[in-house]
Amino acid sequence: MSPPRSLHSHAPDYAAWTKEELIARLTQLTSPLPPANRSRTRSHSPPRPKPNPKPFSFSKHPTRKIALRFSYVGEDYNGLAFQNGFTPLPTVEGVLFDALAKTRLIDGAAGFEGCGWERCGRTDRGVSAAGQVVSLWVRSAMGGKPATEAVEGQDAEDALLQANGVPELTETAGLEPSDVSAEGSGEAGPSFPATEPLPAPSLPSSAPKKELRYITLLNRVLPPSIRVHAFSPVDASFSARFNCRWRHYKYFFSPAHLDVAAMQSGATRLVGEHDFRNLCKLDPTKQITNFHRRVLRAELSPVSQSDSGLWVFDLVGTAFLYHQVRHIMAILLLIGAGLEPSTTVSALLNVNPDAPYLPFADGEDSPPVVSCKPEYQMADGLPLVLWDCGYGEGDLSWRGDDDEDEEPAQRSGKAGRHSGDSGAAPKTNLILQMQSIRERSHIQTVLHGHFLEAATRYQATPANLFPLSEPLTSRKPGQGVDLLDGKSLNVPLGGGTFHRTSKYVRLLERKRLEKVEVTNERWMLGKGGRRAARRSGAAEVIQENDGDE
């Protein structure tokens, strides 16, 4: 065999090499390098594994009770309330709770009960909020011990966040992964202005003078569809639910093809204390027997400072039933379309034959008694917003991250005050964030308008009969009125949705549901009773185990 060729030639002709020479070359390439060569080949040593972080003990840190005021886009969530079972979309409470736990403001392992979580009002899937309020106990820096174990040369809060995998404050901080990278394109997704930076590094041996930056910490890790606006210190006995004196809902709608004056006539009849069993969803699992609620204000008006042409229905009340606002709005839309008279509202509120409902206006006949709810579809949830929650004077003092050291009198002289509250909205880069979100939404609206304009070049615009010019009367009860000679009709449901039908049956002539008392009793004799028995059995087992110990 010929002697092996040089294995260090600059341009070897591997095609001419023998099998033995090729094996020797491969062996040389795959063999470990000597220590001297290895140090020359690698520019740096492998990263050292990070030590396991110390377990965080909440018992070593002071706490305080606060209220959080926040907004959310309901379309992205499966409602406000956290659900134990599977939900097709996340819940607002679940996302907010996870953000509080991730920033170690609460102990996530202790659950909602561990932090005394209470919410003002529950919103359902698709419904948004501009002024939702929750109260809870959170970690505080205003006690006798440092709130976090500081790391040299780094702000204590930043160190705590990084230990939990919270990203640095960047333009995309707080976005979901799907927002940072556009799906299927490989391009960077939208970015929003970052919130204010955390305080400068400080390593005090005593308690810090300023409180933790609750708003900045939470908005950093929350998705853009949930924004915390302010927080307020509250008394230990404060309850976001039971201290609330009124709730204000807004429902936005287009006045096109609607008689707004007739809608206002129907809305005015809602003011006062009434039995709203015919204007809510009847759910036997809740076992509700008292449907009396007080409405303080019910008004329709153009949306202020807007070129959208939209109107808004403002409804303020002390409390509300399940889906009450959406049922009320469904009736008002029927009235606006001319399919129902405004007196239909009075009839739906007249549920007790033993306590007749008086005529709403002079010359008006007494409304018929409607003791059982007629079948009808409630309005769409997209335009509905929990706008505000009212509390007593002195209950709350809203502030931002930089307002903790100021007196309430100083804060009240800022941008403005919420009705029933003291304090003002914080002036932070949160405003810039929300302006960016609104701008993107406005661009989408303009785009859809151009799409519609482009489609009208090739498609005819269908005729719209609403509002009807003459009162609608059925031939006989339950038969319905043929409005388009057998063609379909789009009955408005709000939010751009509608119900297609060729005949319309007046509301008071439709099939009625069972009495509430009958539905509640049937559920308790069936599924409700079995559920109560299981709970009772579980309670007995717990008591027996406690007794054994």
Side-chain angles (χ1 to χ4, degrees):
M1 185 181 68
S2 61
R5 298 173 176 85
S6 173
L7 300 181
H8 301 285
S9 59
H10 293 289
D13 184 8
Y14 290 116
W17 285 30
T18 65
K19 178 180 178 181
E20 291 77 8
E21 291 172 340
L22 290 172
I23 293 175
R25 177 60 171 166
L26 290 172
T27 303
Q28 182 188 41
L29 292 175
T30 56
S31 61
L33 292 174
N37 292 339
R38 186 185 301 119
S39 62
R40 288 196 302 268
T41 303
R42 297 181 178 177
S43 59
H44 57 82
S45 59
R48 296 180 181 179
K50 295 182 179 180
N52 294 328
K54 291 183 179 180
F56 190 87
S57 176
F58 282 90
S59 61
K60 296 180 180 179
H61 302 275
T63 60
R64 72 188 303 185
K65 193 171 188 179
I66 67 170
L68 288 175
R69 182 184 180 91
F70 59 100
S71 62
Y72 51 88
V73 181
E75 190 177 21
D76 297 338
Y77 298 97
N78 208 78
L80 169 72
F82 175 79
Q83 305 292 327
N84 289 321
F86 169 79
T87 56
L89 292 173
T91 63
V92 177
E93 279 188 339
V95 174
L96 180 57
F97 182 89
D98 289 343
L100 287 159
K102 192 169 189 177
T103 53
R104 286 184 173 173
L105 295 178
I106 62 172
D107 184 1
F112 288 90
E113 296 80 7
C115 61
W117 184 287
E118 289 184 285
R119 58 177 175 265
C120 173
R122 176 171 178 166
T123 57
D124 298 299
R125 180 174 179 174
V127 179
S128 303
Q132 180 66 269
V133 177
V134 297
S135 57
L136 71 161
W137 290 89
V138 295
R139 181 170 56 87
S140 172
M142 304 297 288
K145 298 179 181 180
T148 58
E149 297 182 13
V151 178
E152 185 176 357
Q154 184 180 34
D155 179 73
E157 292 178 358
D158 273 332
L160 178 59
L161 291 175
Q162 292 174 18
N164 286 275
V166 179
E168 290 286 351
L169 194 58
T170 62
E171 288 186 341
T172 56
L175 299 182
E176 294 288 357
S178 59
D179 295 325
V180 176
S181 176
E183 183 179 358
S185 66
E187 299 177 355
S191 61
F192 302 90
T195 54
E196 290 184 347
L198 292 173
S202 176
L203 303 175
S205 57
S206 60
K209 294 182 179 180
K210 288 189 175 182
E211 182 55 281
L212 298 177
R213 300 171 67 83
Y214 296 125
I215 301 170
T216 302
L217 288 170
L218 290 172
N219 285 334
R220 175 184 293 188
V221 298
L222 285 169
S225 52
I226 303 177
R227 296 287 88 183
V228 178
H229 301 172
F231 80 95
S232 171
V234 295
D235 293 335
S237 60
F238 176 84
S239 166
R241 178 185 177 187
F242 294 107
N243 280 63
C244 184
R245 297 188 175 184
W246 49 262
R247 295 162 178 85
H248 181 182
Y249 283 91
K250 285 180 178 285
Y251 195 100
F252 297 88
F253 66 96
S254 170
H257 310 296
L258 294 175
D259 185 346
V260 178
M263 296 174 68
Q264 181 61 66
S265 175
T268 305
R269 300 166 188 268
L270 300 167
V271 177
E273 183 173 344
H274 305 287
D275 190 314
F276 286 93
R277 69 182 63 204
N278 292 327
L279 290 164
C280 70
K281 182 176 181 179
L282 303 176
D283 186 357
T285 63
K286 301 182 183 300
Q287 290 292 294
I288 296 177
T289 57
N290 181 12
F291 294 89
H292 281 261
R293 298 294 185 272
R294 178 174 294 276
V295 170
L296 305 176
R297 181 160 68 95
E299 297 176 352
L300 288 83
S301 60
V303 175
S304 60
Q305 300 178 354
S306 172
D307 58 356
S308 64
L310 295 178
W311 278 54
V312 62
F313 171 49
D314 287 282
L315 188 65
V316 182
T318 55
F320 291 88
L321 296 163
Y322 190 24
H323 289 323
Q324 180 179 344
V325 183
R326 293 169 65 181
H327 278 75
I328 289 175
M329 193 63 201
I331 302 302
L332 294 183
L333 289 172
L334 294 177
I335 294 173
L339 296 170
E340 297 288 340
S342 59
T343 55
T344 300
V345 175
S346 298
L348 294 174
L349 296 175
N350 189 23
V351 302
N352 188 356
D354 298 328
Y357 186 93
L358 298 177
F360 178 76
D362 293 339
E364 216 176 72
D365 296 333
S366 296
V369 175
V370 183
S371 57
C372 296
K373 177 186 174 183
E375 291 184 341
Y376 64 93
Q377 189 172 349
M378 66 180 177
D380 187 71
L382 175 64
L384 180 58
V385 180
L386 174 60
W387 191 252
D388 201 0
C389 304
Y391 293 88
E393 190 70 27
D395 279 350
L396 296 168
S397 176
W398 294 117
R399 60 191 67 180
D401 286 335
D402 298 324
D403 298 334
E404 179 66 17
D405 295 333
E406 298 182 9
E407 295 296 329
Q410 293 176 281
R411 290 191 299 275
S412 63
K414 290 188 178 181
R417 301 179 65 177
H418 297 289
S419 176
D421 305 334
S422 62
K427 185 179 180 181
T428 69
N429 283 344
L430 169 65
I431 302 301
L432 297 179
Q433 283 185 324
M434 302 187 76
Q435 286 175 342
S436 297
I437 295 172
R438 183 186 65 177
E439 181 178 348
R440 293 184 62 82
S441 178
H442 181 64
I443 291 174
Q444 289 180 335
T445 300
V446 173
L447 286 176
H448 285 296
H450 281 279
F451 299 157
L452 174 61
E453 182 181 352
T456 55
R457 301 175 187 174
Y458 311 100
Q459 302 290 333
T461 302
N464 197 312
L465 298 180
F466 301 138
L468 299 180
S469 56
E470 298 181 0
L472 183 66
T473 56
S474 299
R475 296 182 180 87
K476 56 183 178 180
Q479 184 180 15
V481 178
D482 191 341
L483 299 174
L484 289 176
D485 297 327
K487 297 181 181 179
S488 359
L489 177 78
N490 296 335
V491 179
L493 292 172
T497 62
F498 50 82
H499 168 65
R500 295 182 68 86
T501 183
S502 58
K503 290 186 179 182
Y504 183 80
V505 178
R506 288 281 297 274
L507 200 69
L508 301 184
E509 299 168 359
R510 297 183 187 181
K511 179 182 178 180
R512 306 286 176 87
L513 302 180
E514 292 181 321
K515 287 184 176 292
V516 174
E517 296 78 7
V518 174
T519 306
N520 284 345
E521 183 179 6
R522 178 187 297 110
W523 188 84
M524 284 303 299
L525 293 175
K527 187 175 182 179
R530 294 191 296 270
R531 182 180 299 179
R534 288 195 298 268
R535 290 177 179 175
S536 176
E540 291 177 359
V541 170
I542 293 175
Q543 291 178 356
E544 291 177 0
N545 291 338
D546 291 343
D548 292 340
E549 292 178 357

